[in-house]
Amino acid sequence: MSDFEKDAIRLLIVFNALRQAWAGAHYLNGSVGNTPGNNDGMKESRTLGRPRDTSYEKLAIRTGEWAKERCPGRYEKVSGYLFQPGSTELEQLKTFIEANKSLEADSWPSFNGTGLYPRRTGGKGSAIALGEDCLGKRHFDCISFVNWVVGTTLQKKPSWDITQYESGSGVPVERFDPLPVAKVQNADIVTRTNEKRKHIGLLTASGQVVHASGEAVGVITGPY
């Protein structure tokens, strides 16, 4: 393969990654490019359903669901607003829930015409966010995002972990290099490790990182 062909492949991978950021893909652990109601991700995927429980304690309206986890819908990226337990704003939210509780989850109006829907950011008693509807949004976590982007671009179905990307073991494109950023190429890999978890993303030639950042913001592009 010529250097020109390698560079072209790298560019396609980055473009595919950027498309997910531009489309506002959501973050959900264990989900590999799925959209609600479809089994349209990689081979590890499951169907993303839409929960029907709209009770106040288990509030999850118009969201994608993976096992027992619910997607809050990029709430910081879109609205930047949480209804904290005990806040006065919860009274308005409770009125909204009472007015619509007889409806199926798919039929609820958005909250006060915002185009956003209230849902829990975690379990019982957690904060409630105003987040996007998941309909039509792909869902990823950080490693599945890299696997999905690389795999769909190259028409492969990779299932590698972060350590394999760091070492280059079996990665289907030559030289997915980590730092230094000063010598970065399109589709280089960057990783970060702290006490709780490892994180992975794709670099662009300009040094920007494209990654599935977290449930509050989804897939984003930002400086290293």
Side-chain angles (χ1 to χ4, degrees):
M1 185 182 293
S2 69
D3 288 343
F4 176 80
E5 290 172 316
K6 292 175 185 176
D7 288 344
I9 290 172
R10 285 176 172 274
L11 186 60
L12 285 172
I13 291 170
V14 165
F15 179 70
N16 198 2
L18 289 170
R19 283 179 61 194
Q20 307 315 310
W22 296 334
H26 291 181
Y27 184 100
L28 191 61
N29 282 330
S31 192
V32 193
N34 311 66
T35 53
N38 297 287
N39 190 13
D40 56 352
M42 301 290 277
K43 62 183 179 182
E44 301 91 342
S45 300
R46 301 292 186 273
T47 299
L48 276 178
R50 304 181 99 191
R52 298 293 180 178
D53 192 339
T54 54
S55 66
Y56 179 72
E57 290 298 342
K58 298 181 179 179
L59 189 65
I61 301 171
R62 298 180 71 86
T63 70
E65 184 179 47
W66 175 268
K68 295 182 179 179
E69 297 185 55
R70 291 182 172 93
C71 174
R74 296 201 313 156
Y75 57 89
E76 284 186 7
K77 182 74 173 179
V78 178
S79 68
Y81 193 78
L82 290 176
F83 294 91
Q84 297 292 348
S87 67
T88 57
E89 292 87 351
L90 281 181
E91 294 306 313
Q92 186 181 22
L93 181 64
K94 289 177 181 178
T95 300
F96 173 81
I97 293 169
E98 184 68 24
N100 294 286
K101 66 181 183 181
S102 63
L103 301 176
E104 293 288 342
D106 288 0
S107 300
W108 278 52
S110 66
F111 183 71
N112 290 350
T114 59
L116 303 172
Y117 299 84
R119 72 279 302 273
R120 293 278 176 190
T121 59
K124 179 180 178 180
S126 60
I128 297 174
L130 285 183
E132 293 178 312
D133 188 356
C134 292
L135 187 63
K137 302 287 187 180
R138 290 192 180 277
H139 289 70
F140 304 94
D141 59 18
C142 68
I143 182 61
S144 76
F145 174 68
V146 173
N147 276 338
W148 187 91
V149 168
V150 172
T152 54
T153 303
L154 302 181
Q155 298 184 340
K156 296 179 181 291
K157 290 190 175 182
S159 183
W160 295 302
D161 59 29
I162 293 176
T163 301
Q164 288 172 291
Y165 275 104
E166 288 176 320
S167 67
S169 176
V171 178
V173 175
E174 190 176 304
R175 289 185 58 217
F176 274 75
D177 294 331
L179 299 178
V181 172
K183 298 180 181 178
V184 74
Q185 300 178 78
N186 279 322
D188 279 351
I189 293 292
V190 64
T191 60
R192 181 185 67 201
T193 303
N194 59 30
E195 293 180 359
K196 294 183 178 180
R197 66 167 184 159
K198 285 190 170 185
H199 189 63
I200 188 169
L202 285 157
L203 284 161
T204 70
S206 63
Q208 294 285 296
V209 185
V210 193
H211 58 123
S213 177
E215 63 181 19
V217 293
V219 176
I220 61 171
T221 303
Y224 174 78

